Amino acid sequence: MSETSKEQELEIIAKEVAPCVRCKLSSTRTQTVFGEGNPNAEVMFIGEGPGKQEDLTGRPFVGKAGELLTRIIERGMGVPRDSVYIANITKCRPTVDLKFEKDRPPEDDEVIACSPFLLRQISIIQPKVIITLGNPSTRFILRTKEGITKLRGNWGDFHGIPVMPTYHPSYVIRNGGENSPLKRDVWEDIKKVLDRLDWKRPG
Ligand code: SF4
């Protein structure tokens, strides 16, 4: 599949996602957050769902967690953010009691409703490595009930694509941020990805 046709395929899905009312999250969103990045990306990051800033801008990982993810990509991996692909399981912001105040992980019915879009994104992009961020995306992609603390840093598999689970940037921020030992864990996980891809570690 050429780059143009991958882009076109992704645009077709994005057009389906924008007016989607398959689950209750459609009732509160400002807009859907489809995902963004290089259609030919070798690395695809998958988070759980958009937060406040993402809902307002229509872009994934643009709040504080997004800034940390961008640093992980640009400093930790040594590549521009737009060279990878970033998406979430749900394309609308999940909030507690649908009050649109406090973010929460997606519920099972929302994952079931929305995940076909993500699966189509993966099948078009065909990344060489998937990095799952936090429990919901790791459990969904690896079909497990195990928690991220146990799974992180260990390779999994998604239909032949190697999967590296690591902590969600929001979780790192909530637990000490830049100085957190969790951040060092994320760096270690990223180094394993670089080695697997045979990418040079940034100096
Ligand atoms: S979360 Fe997904 S399935 Fe639910 S309304 Fe939004 S786009 Fe549709």
Side-chain angles (χ1 to χ4, degrees):
M1 199 182 276
S2 72
E3 184 172 354
T4 311
S5 66
K6 279 191 178 191
E7 250 173 348
Q8 287 170 342
E9 294 276 338
L10 289 169
E11 271 170 28
I12 289 168
I13 308 172
K15 281 186 183 149
E16 285 177 43
V17 166
C20 174
V21 289
R22 281 188 203 171
C23 83
K24 59 187 181 295
L25 298 182
S26 62
S27 65
T28 50
R29 71 173 177 233
T30 307
Q31 60 194 310
T32 56
V33 181
F34 179 66
E36 67 181 24
N38 179 357
N40 276 323
E42 294 189 10
V43 177
M44 184 167 179
F45 287 87
I46 302 177
E48 53 194 67
K52 183 177 179 183
Q53 291 305 318
E54 289 75 17
D55 169 81
L56 290 172
T57 59
R59 295 182 56 211
F61 284 92
V62 289
K64 277 211 164 67
E67 287 170 14
L68 178 52
L69 180 63
T70 302
R71 285 199 294 281
I72 290 166
I73 295 165
E74 302 203 330
R75 288 192 209 156
M77 305 183 84
V79 297
R81 174 176 155 130
D82 62 7
S83 69
V84 304
Y85 198 90
I86 304 170
N88 285 304
I89 302 176
T90 63
K91 311 305 188 193
C92 302
R93 181 186 174 200
T95 56
V96 175
D97 298 330
L98 294 183
K99 287 185 176 160
F100 226 52
E101 291 166 2
K102 194 170 182 300
D103 293 336
R104 62 156 170 81
E107 293 171 353
D108 287 350
D109 60 316
E110 296 154 1
V111 171
I112 289 167
C114 205
S115 55
F117 295 129
L118 174 69
L119 296 176
R120 287 165 68 191
Q121 286 172 295
I122 296 171
S123 76
I124 290 166
I125 295 163
Q126 282 293 315
K128 288 188 179 162
V129 168
I130 291 172
I131 301 176
T132 52
L133 301 167
N135 268 324
S137 62
T138 301
R139 286 177 172 156
F140 172 73
I141 290 291
L142 295 180
R143 297 279 176 230
T144 177
K145 291 194 186 322
E146 285 290 356
I148 188 67
T149 307
K150 184 160 184 197
L151 294 171
R152 68 142 282 271
N154 296 299
W155 287 105
D157 176 86
F158 179 79
H159 300 296
I161 302 173
V163 178
M164 174 54 68
T166 195
Y167 295 122
H168 193 286
S170 297
Y171 182 68
V172 176
I173 289 167
R174 283 199 305 274
N175 290 278
E178 291 292 332
N179 302 317
S180 164
L182 300 181
K183 191 177 161 200
R184 284 196 292 277
D185 290 341
V186 173
W187 281 158
E188 292 306 314
D189 302 343
I190 293 297
K191 280 184 207 160
K192 289 181 186 173
V193 171
L194 296 178
D195 291 347
R196 179 112 188 195
L197 290 167
D198 215 11
W199 286 8
K200 202 166 159 257
R201 292 184 187 182

